[in-house]
Amino acid sequence: MEAAVVRPTIRVAGLCGSLRRASYNRGLLRAATEICKDSIGGMTIDYVDISALPFINTDLEVDGTYPPVVEAFRQKILEADSVLFASPEYNYSVTPPLKNAIDWASRAPNVWADKPAAIISTGGGFGGGRAQYHLRQIGVFLDLHFINKPEFFLNAFQPPQKFDSDGNLINPEAKERIKEVLLALQAFTLRLKHGKC
């Protein structure tokens, strides 16, 4: 009788580019967290709050250290095995809070380097798609390794209803698509961790 193969638990840092309390993108992250708990073994998502980060300013760097809130944020990214971004699109790009967080974590030493990552987004029109493509471009410089497929963009305002009044995702089809993204991120993370790419 063969012993069952035990997969290591993959720790995912979940970042939301919107600071709004009932943000639909934060709702996507909540749904992803629930999906991991309910139906994906060996993977957990820890929400990483970026709202307290000060605007990036190198004057705040003293003797090679950063403000405590920045150091704590950087440590959470460093300890994660992979990253899940959920962000709306602002003016065809990523949101200012998300870009600020990205910039803080990219300061030497770059804690994004060699992390597998995935992006999910929702909003009007293209559902945040242009922000995703811009984030992928930023990731090239940061040495972030994004999964290519499946992609997840969701128009939040077309019927049927996707979110409740608290910003929680209620659409079963969208939840299933998020699960596909998470499974792809899990597989990609395991491949990168074991050098099988």
Side-chain angles (χ1 to χ4, degrees):
M1 180 178 201
E2 291 184 31
V5 176
V6 178
R7 287 186 176 183
T9 298
I10 294 170
R11 294 167 301 164
V12 181
L15 280 76
C16 182
S18 175
L19 304 183
R20 191 171 65 86
R21 194 170 349 115
S23 162
Y24 292 159
N25 283 278
R26 199 155 187 194
L28 294 181
L29 276 181
R30 282 193 301 273
T33 301
E34 291 169 13
I35 290 165
C36 279
K37 285 180 186 172
D38 296 343
S39 61
I40 300 178
M43 189 172 183
T44 61
I45 298 174
D46 297 314
Y47 175 71
V48 179
D49 187 6
I50 63 173
S51 65
L53 294 173
F55 283 123
I56 189 160
N57 178 350
T58 55
D59 288 343
L60 299 176
E61 298 175 26
V62 180
D63 298 325
T65 62
Y66 303 98
V69 67
V70 174
E71 290 283 6
F73 167 70
R74 289 170 53 83
Q75 190 62 35
K76 288 176 183 176
I77 301 303
L78 185 64
E79 292 172 354
D81 298 306
S82 56
V83 183
L84 178 64
F85 295 95
S87 185
E89 176 181 315
Y90 287 7
N91 301 317
Y92 282 21
S93 188
V94 297
T95 65
L98 181 57
K99 182 63 168 67
N100 187 56
I102 289 168
D103 292 344
W104 271 123
S106 72
R107 300 293 296 159
N110 171 18
V111 296
W112 300 114
D114 291 326
K115 300 268 186 208
I119 316 167
I120 54 179
S121 64
T122 187
F126 192 18
R130 286 175 288 253
Q132 285 199 26
Y133 293 143
H134 198 185
L135 183 53
R136 288 175 181 276
Q137 186 179 22
I138 293 167
V140 172
F141 181 79
L142 301 176
D143 290 326
L144 269 169
H145 307 294
F146 286 102
I147 62 169
N148 291 323
K149 293 179 183 170
E151 293 179 309
F152 182 95
F153 317 109
L154 181 66
N155 186 310
F157 308 107
Q158 289 180 340
Q161 184 177 354
K162 311 294 189 312
F163 297 91
D164 66 18
S165 60
D166 294 322
N168 296 306
L169 183 65
I170 58 173
N171 182 271
E173 180 184 325
K175 288 182 180 183
E176 188 58 36
R177 290 178 49 218
I178 288 175
K179 183 177 179 181
E180 291 171 11
V181 170
L182 294 172
L183 289 170
L185 178 61
Q186 182 182 46
F188 188 50
T189 302
L190 290 171
R191 281 204 321 266
L192 283 182
K193 286 179 87 168
H194 299 295
K196 296 180 181 176
C197 277

